[in-house]
Amino acid sequence: MQVVVVGLGYVGSVCSACLASRGHTVVGVDTSAFKVNCIERGESPIVEKGLGELISAARANGRLSATTEIAKAMPGADVVLVCVGTPSREDGSLNLDHVKRACAEVGSAIASTGKFTTVVMRSTMLPGSVLDELTPVIEQASGGKAGEKFGVAYNPEFLREGTAVDDFNNAEYTVIGAGCDRAGDALKALYDGVGGELMVTSIPIAEMLKYVNNSFHALKVAFANEVGRICKREHVDSHAVMKLMVRDTKLNLSPYYLSPGFAFGGSCLPKDVRAIVSRSRQHNLELPVIQNIIRSNDVHVEDAIHLIERFKQRKVGFLGLSFKAGTDDLRESPILRVIGTLVGKGYAVLLHDPNIDMERVLGANRRFVEDEVPYLPERLRADLREVVESSDVIVVGNRAPIYREIGSMMRDGQVVVDLVDGVKRESVVRGEYHGLAW
Ligand SMILES: NC(=O)c1ccc[n+]([C@@H]2O[C@H](COP(=O)([O-])OP(=O)(O)OC[C@H]3O[C@@H](n4cnc5c(N)ncnc54)[C@H](O)[C@@H]3O)[C@@H](O)[C@H]2O)c1
């Protein structure tokens, strides 16, 4: 394919060389004459393992060239990859000025060619950037509509400096947020045979993914370093701890616990996080990530309360009381804090849980009910239908299978608030569905 790469920094120069080595014809563009001259001489403009060899080979076989002018590079382009910088402004917000300027120039060039060109943003940018801020720039400059005269796409860049060439060739997956089928098809052809599994999704999902990935990577580093700091005070070998921690690929390094849902609870997580936080305070240690986990969880519970109250309905039915389906353990179940708040405010609350039968609640759990949730026995109903029919807002608080199709019991005017992603959306044909964080 004929590819134009705008911006020959860390991302653009690696993309240019790797795509040229895959047989595409690449023209790189940069406002910096230094970088353009480097490429023209067959040298890498940046220090990156293996890149110099690729650029020199691609120059020699005529697959790679460079210019300072977008207009000169554009004739014949099938795909334009925009890889210019998106720096932070002083207040931390994202500066799209360079990308906008590049898009305006690309758009002007598209105006004078009859060819359908796919403009792909590779620079890191927040959701909404491509469709709300950059597409209008290209449309205005080209005089055409996205999806007709040109295509738009977002293709997040996951390369790590130092191993970028290897990351390009052995990527876990390549993600394409495609604005139209033609744009998606162009990128599928571009990445044919390289970049791991190809995942096509929407542009905002692809934009957000990049930030979620980088936030998670940053969180991992900060978390591991905090573990190191407390381990050192405890005279425990932090590397030995983390080596064992990462060996558990079922609960630790896995998709488990990584799906947006309701707050954590139960008899272990809150207690154990509190204990390690308390120990860190004894050491006068600042561990901002670990020390704020409970706060983050509390905010999530508060958010659930706000969402339920937003509907201004007084009759609320809660389905699922234990912190997870399939247990009758109510200790530290976060939904009880939501229920307690609404009961305290005088809401007419009814409750249902398939695993909780007051006659059978024994031992520690019984004492917990008597001390902490004395309102529970008189509000608990065995009949799910009774709770649904008597409520204007139905809150699903755990993923018991019997709540999955709860929509089929609902009538017009009712609202279901799903705190756990446990309700099949299609079952809600009457009334409204609202998810807590989706
Ligand atoms: N560096 C990385 O490892 C990495 C990884 C993933 C994503 N990203 C993202 O990719 C983007 C680019 O990062 P980078 O590190 O390659 O940046 P960089 O600063 O190294 O390169 C950007 C290049 O764009 C050029 N440029 C700016 N405006 C231009 C214009 N109008 N026309 C032509 N060229 C122009 C600059 O001269 C510069 O050479 C950023 O959004 C960054 O966040 C970077």
Side-chain angles (χ1 to χ4, degrees), residues 196-215:
E197 195 181 342
L198 199 87
M199 317 272 204
V200 180
T201 184
S202 73
I203 290 177
I205 288 177
E207 289 172 317
M208 187 54 119
L209 177 69
K210 176 69 190 168
Y211 287 92
V212 171
N213 281 1
N214 274 356
S215 302

Side-chain angles (χ1 to χ4, degrees), residues 6-12 29-32 35 70 83-86 98 101-102 105 122-124 157-161 210:
V6 183
L8 294 170
Y10 286 88
V11 170
V29 187
D30 203 295
T31 43
S32 154
K35 290 184 180 171
I70 288 179
C83 308
V84 303
T86 48
H98 297 298
R101 216 165 297 137
E105 286 186 52
R122 301 227 62 196
S123 306
T124 300
E157 171 61 81
F158 301 132
L159 308 180
R160 293 164 300 166
E161 288 176 21
K210 176 69 190 168

Side-chain angles (χ1 to χ4, degrees), residues 143-191:
K145 282 246 148 263
E148 293 169 11
K149 196 173 176 82
F150 63 92
V152 287
Y154 185 70
N155 171 212
E157 171 61 81
F158 301 132
L159 308 180
R160 293 164 300 166
E161 288 176 21
T163 52
V165 172
D166 193 48
D167 284 351
F168 184 95
N169 289 323
N170 300 301
E172 187 73 13
Y173 58 52
T174 293
V175 175
I176 294 169
C180 60
D181 289 346
R182 282 175 89 178
D185 290 344
L187 278 163
K188 281 182 201 160
L190 186 72
Y191 285 113

Side-chain angles (χ1 to χ4, degrees), residues 33-108:
F34 167 78
K35 290 184 180 171
V36 167
N37 290 337
C38 281
I39 300 272
E40 286 287 286
R41 284 197 306 271
E43 292 166 12
S44 173
I46 58 164
V47 176
E48 183 60 53
K49 196 169 118 203
L51 187 60
E53 292 84 335
L54 282 185
I55 290 177
S56 143
R59 263 317 273 151
N61 66 26
R63 295 230 184 271
L64 178 63
S65 59
T67 164
T68 52
E69 288 174 56
I70 288 179
K72 277 197 184 149
M74 284 290 293
D78 297 299
V79 175
V80 180
L81 302 177
V82 179
C83 308
V84 303
T86 48
S88 290
R89 290 207 185 85
E90 253 180 35
D91 63 359
S93 64
L94 182 73
N95 182 347
L96 285 178
D97 291 353
H98 297 298
V99 192
K100 282 187 182 159
R101 216 165 297 137
C103 282
E105 286 186 52
V106 168
S108 304

Side-chain angles (χ1 to χ4, degrees), residues 154-431:
Y154 185 70
N155 171 212
E157 171 61 81
F158 301 132
L159 308 180
R160 293 164 300 166
E161 288 176 21
T163 52
V165 172
D166 193 48
D167 284 351
F168 184 95
N169 289 323
N170 300 301
E172 187 73 13
Y173 58 52
T174 293
V175 175
I176 294 169
C180 60
D181 289 346
R182 282 175 89 178
D185 290 344
L187 278 163
K188 281 182 201 160
L190 186 72
Y191 285 113
D192 188 31
V194 73
E197 195 181 342
L198 199 87
M199 317 272 204
V200 180
T201 184
S202 73
I203 290 177
I205 288 177
E207 289 172 317
M208 187 54 119
L209 177 69
K210 176 69 190 168
Y211 287 92
V212 171
N213 281 1
N214 274 356
S215 302
F216 188 51
H217 300 164
L219 176 68
K220 283 169 71 168
V221 173
F223 178 77
N225 288 339
E226 289 193 5
V227 168
R229 295 212 292 283
I230 190 156
C231 281
K232 188 169 167 71
R233 299 297 173 99
E234 295 285 327
H235 307 290
V236 173
D237 180 343
S238 61
H239 289 129
V241 171
M242 291 310 277
K243 265 189 201 142
L244 287 172
M245 190 269 207
V246 300
R247 280 282 302 278
D248 181 346
T249 52
K250 198 167 162 195
L251 296 186
N252 295 349
L253 295 193
S254 71
Y256 208 80
Y257 296 124
L258 281 175
S259 181
F262 194 39
F264 62 77
S267 57
C268 295
L269 298 192
K271 168 176 84 70
D272 298 347
V273 174
R274 278 196 301 266
I276 196 161
V277 166
S278 155
R279 179 61 68 86
S280 70
R281 296 208 200 282
Q282 285 168 19
H283 290 301
N284 276 328
L285 254 183
E286 231 189 298
L287 303 180
V289 172
I290 294 173
Q291 288 166 349
N292 279 294
I293 294 173
I294 296 284
R295 175 74 196 125
S296 172
N297 207 43
D298 288 345
V299 169
H300 207 54
V301 173
E302 286 159 22
D303 242 42
I305 296 169
H306 291 316
L307 177 58
I308 296 164
E309 291 201 291
R310 221 176 69 195
F311 301 106
K312 310 245 177 273
Q313 299 290 340
R314 307 300 294 175
K315 293 183 190 160
V316 183
F318 284 87
L319 312 182
L321 306 180
S322 51
F323 77 102
K324 70 178 162 193
T327 167
D328 65 350
D329 191 355
L330 289 171
R331 288 169 301 165
E332 299 226 34
S333 177
I335 193 75
L336 296 181
R337 286 164 56 200
V338 180
I339 297 170
T341 303
L342 296 193
V343 167
K345 288 183 171 191
Y347 280 74
V349 170
L350 286 183
L351 313 170
H352 179 268
D353 190 302
N355 293 303
I356 295 173
D357 172 353
M358 277 325 295
E359 304 297 314
R360 292 212 217 126
V361 171
L362 301 168
N365 225 358
R366 172 142 220 125
R367 261 197 317 283
F368 174 80
V369 170
E370 284 163 359
D371 294 347
E372 306 284 333
V373 283
Y375 55 78
L376 193 144
E378 55 170 327
R379 292 168 194 269
L380 191 66
R381 297 288 181 275
D383 182 4
L384 171 60
R385 194 167 280 279
E386 181 191 344
V387 176
V388 173
E389 283 175 3
S390 318
S391 307
D392 293 320
V393 176
I394 299 146
V395 182
V396 176
N398 74 26
R399 303 187 62 149
I402 50 166
Y403 303 143
R404 190 142 176 75
E405 310 243 358
I406 204 69
S408 61
M409 289 189 192
M410 288 169 60
R411 58 179 147 72
D412 289 336
Q414 280 182 315
V415 171
V416 61
V417 173
D418 184 0
L419 301 183
V420 289
D421 192 21
V423 176
K424 208 166 154 190
R425 315 290 197 279
E426 310 84 73
S427 78
V428 187
V429 278
R430 284 155 177 251

